[in-house]
Amino acid sequence: MPSVLGVSGVPGELGVSAARRDLASSPGEKRAAARAIEEHIGPDTRAAGRWAEEEMGAAVREFAAKDGDGWLTSAALQKAHGAWVDQVKNLMDRLGAEKDALRSGSAVLTRTDLAVGSAVRERSSLDTY
């Protein structure tokens, strides 16, 4: 495969990204990746979402009507906040799904291999003994 100069200036192969070279493929690497999602990435993402939630709430209250006439900014921030909440929820759901996939990936492949192997295997005359 021809080599190309990557974004970092390091030669690489066409069609192979740096992320693919670092793909967790062994059971130990998959467990470590799932543990990183569970112990660091997930909680840190949730904490960042909570921080933004608190800050957004303060901004909405600041621009809200105090004398019967509020700023349009308050309503716009509330709308943006709704989109933010949805995005954080989707990200947390995705992280959970990735964590579950990392933990169950080898079991799924093993079951598939065994099922295909038993379906493809020819019957032998020794099977009757």
Side-chain angles (χ1 to χ4, degrees):
M1 187 170 258
S3 151
V4 295
L5 200 55
V7 174
S8 64
V10 177
E13 292 181 10
L14 283 175
V16 178
S17 69
R20 284 201 169 145
R21 281 186 237 128
D22 295 337
L23 185 65
S25 58
S26 73
E29 290 173 319
K30 289 179 182 180
R31 280 191 300 273
R35 192 170 41 256
I37 290 171
E38 184 173 53
E39 295 174 1
H40 301 290
I41 299 168
D44 291 348
T45 302
R46 192 174 296 109
R50 276 194 305 270
W51 175 83
E53 175 104 15
E54 293 165 5
E55 294 296 315
M56 182 67 73
V60 167
R61 285 189 300 278
E62 193 63 33
F63 286 109
K66 294 179 182 57
D67 57 0
D69 206 16
W71 291 61
L72 293 176
T73 306
S74 180
L77 285 173
Q78 284 179 324
K79 185 176 180 180
H81 179 257
W84 170 260
V85 168
D86 290 344
Q87 290 173 350
V88 170
K89 182 187 179 320
N90 290 339
L91 179 56
M92 293 304 298
D93 291 347
R94 174 77 186 265
L95 287 170
E98 294 295 335
K99 178 183 68 174
D100 293 343
L102 284 164
R103 288 202 168 131
S104 67
S106 61
V108 169
L109 292 176
T110 301
R111 285 193 301 268
T112 302
D113 286 348
L114 291 173
V116 169
S118 66
V120 171
R121 183 179 170 274
E122 293 183 32
R123 279 192 57 87
S124 167
S125 57
L126 297 175
D127 288 341
T128 59
Y129 291 101

